[in-house]
Amino acid sequence: MKRVLSGIQPSGQLHLGNYFGMMQRMIRYQEENDLFCCIVNYHALTTVHDANVLSENTLQAAIDFIALGMDPEKSTFWIQGDVPEVTELTWLISNVTGVGLMERGTSYKDKLARGLTPNMGLFNYPILMASDILLFGGELVPVGKDQKQHLEMTRDIAQKFNQTFGDVFIIPEPDIAEKLQMVPGTDGQKMSKSYDNIIPIFDDEKEIKKKIMSIVTDSTPVDEPKDFSAPIFQLYSLFLDEMGIEDLKSKAEKPGLGFGDVKSSLYETVMDHFADARSKRDALMNHKDDVIGMLKSGAAKASSVAAEYLEKARKATGISYGG
Ligand code: ADP
Ligand code: TRP
């Protein structure tokens, strides 16, 4: 049984990219693995500077994940900030992390390129993420392709720590599904909260419909075959099995299919796929105290694992003293 671990930032609405890139796989993994999953609110603090927004988004992200199928009974599911030991480990491992390694971070460089004035939290983001994984002995880390470099950094940091101070940490493996590396947004670029191109999972129906109707398509007329690599077909395929994909492909490649119809049908499919999750979410919204209770017991479970790894790291570095 492997320890599978991942986290998601509570920094906005969840979208199809998050779901297919990471959440759906985490939910499936919990059946046969020792699953650890956290809502990383310390990470979100690097960009969200409104206390009400951060605290509301944090609980909302947890509710949404549970509504989608995360089971706090089967898994260890918690809010990162409820296990603050992660910040102590961040400090310990910072001392074996090269500044150059952080400066080469593409996600960091992207944010600079988009004009964000960086704070030290943003610069140290990958070290905090490494700490998330190492503090709980994560072996397999399901993420989207954009997190691949952060995982490589985590492995580098863990190896450097082990070489310097002795074997403390497990070296984690990334788990990136080929087919789901990059879920396209409505404009055909990577779907991301930062690009204003998302299809949200839990918005109201009208809003979801509007977003789906706005997916870019080319001007191929109805009576001509369509390019099956277009974003609309990529998105639709996420909801289909192999046979469904073949069927859609043959329809797309024959004349007669209109993009408007494909969009309407995708909208129905999306609503259908998330119908149970949407009603579960409505129910959970009326029982927030129960959710908070589940998160606190998740934090207690996570803390006991964290205590073990942290103590090993404190001993290995000499921070624990006197025997
Ligand atoms: P965003 O880019 O919207 O800010 P996050 O960085 O919070 O999304 O991503 C949370 C998780 O979802 C990560 O594991 C990330 O790799 C995955 N993910 C986000 N967008 C996509 C996408 N378009 N395709 C595949 N995976 C994605
Ligand atoms: N950086 C990740 C993202 O933006 C979120 C994250 C934080 C994470 N800690 C993690 C992912 C630990 C996997 C494991 O998506």
Side-chain angles (χ1 to χ4, degrees), residues 4 6-10 12-30 35 37-39 60-71 75 77 142-144 175 177 180 183 193 200-202 273-274 277:
V4 179
S6 195
I8 188 157
Q9 291 195 61
Q13 278 184 317
L14 293 177
H15 53 74
L16 295 185
N18 301 139
Y19 179 70
F20 288 106
M22 180 274 214
M23 304 172 88
Q24 187 190 44
R25 279 185 300 140
M26 287 291 276
I27 291 159
R28 287 183 180 156
Y29 274 133
Q30 74 188 333
L35 193 97
C37 182
C38 64
I39 305 294
Q60 192 63 64
I63 289 175
D64 291 356
F65 218 143
I66 297 172
L68 287 166
M70 173 61 60
D71 182 346
S75 305
F77 182 55
V143 281
D175 176 63
L180 309 166
V183 174
K193 297 182 275 274
I201 301 172
F202 290 120
H273 187 90
F274 294 112

Side-chain angles (χ1 to χ4, degrees), residues 277-296:
R278 290 171 73 88
S279 48
K280 187 158 179 209
R281 183 186 193 248
D282 291 342
L284 290 166
M285 293 298 275
N286 294 323
H287 294 93
K288 288 186 179 165
D289 286 347
D290 294 349
V291 175
I292 294 171
M294 292 184 221
L295 293 169
K296 297 292 173 188

Side-chain angles (χ1 to χ4, degrees), residues 5-7 9 40 43 125 129 132-133 141 143 147 150:
L5 182 148
S6 195
Q9 291 195 61
V40 294
H43 279 104
Y125 182 113
M129 176 161 162
D132 274 332
I133 300 168
V141 185
V143 281
Q147 295 298 315
H150 285 156

Side-chain angles (χ1 to χ4, degrees), residues 45-61:
L45 186 60
T46 60
T47 51
V48 180
H49 290 166
D50 178 316
N52 289 331
V53 171
L54 182 59
S55 80
E56 276 166 25
N57 280 0
T58 299
L59 185 56
Q60 192 63 64

Side-chain angles (χ1 to χ4, degrees), residues 180-307:
L180 309 166
Q181 288 200 348
M182 211 256 326
V183 174
T186 52
D187 58 359
Q189 305 302 303
K190 176 201 168 223
M191 186 177 293
S192 171
K193 297 182 275 274
S194 340
Y195 304 154
D196 197 21
N197 65 356
I198 67 164
I199 299 176
I201 301 172
F202 290 120
D203 215 336
D204 65 56
E205 298 179 20
K206 264 198 196 142
E207 212 36 54
I208 297 180
K209 185 158 203 177
K210 206 166 102 192
K211 296 276 169 55
I212 292 177
M213 290 302 172
S214 76
I215 296 170
V216 284
T217 47
D218 60 25
S219 51
T220 314
V222 176
D223 53 5
E224 278 179 32
K226 313 289 180 301
D227 173 8
F228 196 65
S229 67
I232 177 82
F233 295 120
Q234 284 185 45
L235 283 164
Y236 209 144
S237 299
L238 295 168
F239 293 90
L240 303 173
D241 57 16
E242 293 298 320
M243 260 172 61
I245 295 174
E246 274 314 305
D247 188 45
L248 181 66
K249 188 162 188 258
S250 72
K251 279 189 190 138
E253 288 170 352
K254 270 191 226 127
L257 191 70
F259 282 124
D261 293 341
V262 183
K263 287 179 180 176
S264 301
S265 160
L266 174 59
Y267 167 70
E268 298 297 332
T269 304
V270 171
M271 295 317 289
D272 202 43
H273 187 90
F274 294 112
D276 289 348
R278 290 171 73 88
S279 48
K280 187 158 179 209
R281 183 186 193 248
D282 291 342
L284 290 166
M285 293 298 275
N286 294 323
H287 294 93
K288 288 186 179 165
D289 286 347
D290 294 349
V291 175
I292 294 171
M294 292 184 221
L295 293 169
K296 297 292 173 188
S297 15
K301 279 200 265 175
S303 279
S304 64
V305 177

